Amino acid sequence: MKQNGEGVIADDAKQGWLILLSVFLRPAMMVIALMFAMATSYISVGIVNDLFASNMTGMKVDSIKTASVNVAILFVYMTIIMTVMHTSYYMVHAIPNSVIRFLGGGQETIGEAFREDEKKSEQQIIAIGNKSEHLMQGSAGRTPSPNQLQSQSDSKFK
């Protein structure tokens, strides 16, 4: 007997059913997402390895300059691999959260809220950097007017 709301499940029992569904469905989805993440990372790392192997075969270490270039390329390679791995294995948490949210069990998790705050702070830092760069370019490119020079020289002699 349905009291209020629409559908098969009453509004009062909906959250309970969603929690129960989350408890039983989330582990299975995490295992499936882990398999998908392993396959994705395997393919992505293979592509990155092929790209860097073709560039590294022709390099010789005969001076300090080429050695430092090799170290820089190695640093770029490690950064790309870490980014690929982090992005691939983030799916283990993202896929179950997205499916549960799609089914109506709703709210964002703490990690997602943190990512949004992180994006906002990153945008603010970029905006501050752009403003300071603009100010630096404006002050470096500006030459004082003759009136400003005259007033500066007058104030020094008084």
Side-chain angles (χ1 to χ4, degrees):
M1 303 209 137
K2 187 126 173 78
Q3 295 285 332
N4 55 2
E6 297 179 11
V8 178
I9 302 171
D11 290 337
D12 298 338
K14 185 176 181 181
Q15 287 300 320
W17 281 105
L18 287 173
I19 290 172
L20 192 61
L21 180 67
S22 175
V23 165
F24 288 111
L25 198 57
R26 187 177 299 267
M29 287 187 296
M30 288 180 84
V31 170
I32 292 169
L34 178 65
M35 289 181 204
F36 186 68
M38 286 190 300
T40 304
S41 66
Y42 180 78
I43 292 168
S44 301
V45 169
I47 291 170
V48 172
N49 283 341
D50 289 343
L51 291 173
F52 273 88
S54 64
N55 290 328
M56 293 298 287
T57 54
M59 299 200 98
K60 298 177 186 175
V61 180
D62 55 355
S63 69
I64 294 176
K65 182 179 178 182
T66 57
S68 63
V69 168
N70 286 345
V71 169
I73 289 174
L74 182 63
F75 180 73
V76 169
Y77 173 77
M78 290 186 321
T79 304
I80 291 173
I81 291 296
M82 290 300 294
T83 303
V84 164
M85 290 302 206
H86 183 351
T87 305
S88 295
Y89 286 98
Y90 178 72
M91 290 187 288
V92 174
H93 299 288
I95 290 174
N97 288 341
S98 298
V99 170
I100 297 297
R101 190 176 314 126
F102 175 75
L103 293 175
Q107 301 170 350
E108 63 183 25
T109 61
I110 294 172
E112 291 171 359
F114 177 72
R115 278 184 170 249
E116 288 180 13
D117 290 342
E118 191 176 78
K119 286 179 186 177
K120 287 178 186 175
S121 63
E122 185 176 317
Q123 289 172 352
Q124 290 173 350
I125 290 171
I126 290 171
I128 290 170
N130 289 339
K131 286 181 183 178
S132 63
E133 183 178 324
H134 177 69
L135 290 174
M136 293 297 287
Q137 288 174 353
S139 65
R142 238 184 320 160
T143 57
S145 67
N147 292 336
Q148 289 175 338
L149 288 174
Q150 183 65 33
S151 65
Q152 287 176 356
S153 63
D154 289 343
S155 64
K156 287 181 184 176
F157 293 115
K158 289 183 181 182

